[in-house]
Amino acid sequence: QAYIVMEYLAGESLAAALRRTGGLAHEPVTIAAIVGQIASALAAAHRKEIIHRDLKPENIFLSIEESSRAPFIVKILDFGIAKLAAPGAGGSNTRTGGLLGTPVYMSPEQCRGVSTIDRRTDIYALGCVMFELATGRHVFIKDASGDLLVAHIIETPPRVSSIRPEIPAWMDELVAKMLSKSPDDRPSSMDEVVSEIEAFLQVGQSEFASKVLATGALGRIATPRKRSSAPVALSGADA
């Protein structure tokens, strides 16, 4: 019989955490620690010429792991529409005029349906996620998907500091750069994003998870209950 073996993750998605907390403007260290983990994981994928293309809070999971000293470890899920960017790679499901992704987080070039999507489209999407972590809202707020696509292509995104002035200046600048319309104006790689976060947190990327505040808003994920090994007696109604 065919079957699939998957890793079991206990915790919650970043989307659920944002609904619970409404944003993390007062916790820039936690924002940096989360984004740094995402960027370092995507940097590894990009080195294998894999582009996610659908990065969003629903696809980012805050995983509680008993062996870790950190409140949670960030995991990236759902590479279902990932594109192989290697020259000559077969099986790509990108085509000119085809739209794949989630409009709230799609880069301008992705919104236009161009076939030359590269790692910088993930950088734009991560900028959208970082904006949402800092402000508690999306970059563009529109009623229709088509309006969102147009906004990503032609509208100037608001600065994080215009909504949450308490955000550090470096973070405001980094998000603005990641949300640049032209891919050439964004950070050249996820490694560049990681370097900025390392400079702020004063730790290497392997220590990003340890910088999340255990007492902070996102550190209070409900710990899953352990499954008891004791036999369970069923009543007649349960049976």
Side-chain angles (χ1 to χ4, degrees):
Q1 295 182 348
Y3 61 91
I4 298 175
V5 177
M6 300 179 69
E7 180 183 14
Y8 172 76
L9 300 178
E12 68 180 350
S13 70
L14 184 57
L18 282 170
R19 287 193 295 271
R20 176 166 56 82
T21 63
L24 299 170
H26 297 293
E27 298 184 25
V29 169
T30 295
I31 294 173
I34 291 171
V35 172
Q37 291 180 74
I38 299 167
S40 60
L42 287 174
H46 291 171
R47 283 191 286 273
K48 298 293 185 182
E49 303 291 347
I50 299 170
I51 304 161
H52 192 287
R53 295 195 303 162
D54 196 23
L55 188 70
K56 55 187 177 182
E58 288 82 359
N59 288 340
I60 298 164
F61 198 82
L62 312 181
S63 175
I64 300 171
E65 301 184 6
E66 293 182 358
S67 61
S68 173
R69 293 179 289 108
F72 55 78
I73 305 295
V74 175
K75 304 269 188 175
I76 301 175
L77 312 179
D78 198 355
F79 278 75
I81 65 169
K83 170 188 161 98
L84 290 177
S92 169
N93 56 3
T94 297
R95 65 189 184 281
T96 301
L99 293 179
L100 291 169
T102 303
V104 171
Y105 305 96
M106 285 167 61
S107 67
E109 61 271 23
Q110 207 174 356
C111 291
R112 299 201 319 270
V114 300
S115 60
T116 54
I117 298 296
D118 63 20
R119 64 184 181 275
R120 293 170 298 182
T121 202
D122 283 346
I123 291 173
Y124 185 93
L126 183 54
C128 292
V129 172
M130 196 172 184
F131 184 99
E132 193 169 339
L133 281 167
T135 66
R137 51 155 280 185
H138 297 147
V139 176
F140 298 113
I141 301 174
K142 306 291 182 182
D143 292 330
S145 296
D147 293 336
L148 277 171
L149 300 180
V150 172
H152 283 298
I153 294 169
I154 66 172
E155 289 190 23
T156 301
R159 295 289 292 241
V160 170
S161 57
S162 70
I163 302 168
R164 302 305 302 235
E166 65 269 37
I167 287 296
W170 76 269
M171 188 174 289
D172 185 43
E173 290 294 332
L174 177 59
V175 174
K177 188 175 182 182
M178 294 169 77
L179 294 178
S180 296
K181 299 299 182 190
S182 171
D184 293 335
D185 294 331
R186 297 173 206 153
S188 60
S189 68
M190 284 294 181
D191 289 318
E192 188 177 328
V193 176
V194 169
S195 294
E196 290 224 27
I197 292 174
E198 285 178 329
F200 173 65
L201 295 179
Q202 295 295 295
V203 296
Q205 60 184 280
S206 63
E207 298 296 320
F208 284 164
S210 67
K211 301 299 286 186
V212 175
L213 295 175
T215 57
L218 291 192
R220 295 192 289 269
I221 302 175
T223 304
R225 291 183 296 177
K226 292 183 180 297
R227 185 175 297 171
S228 173
S229 59
V232 178
L234 297 178
S235 67
D238 290 333

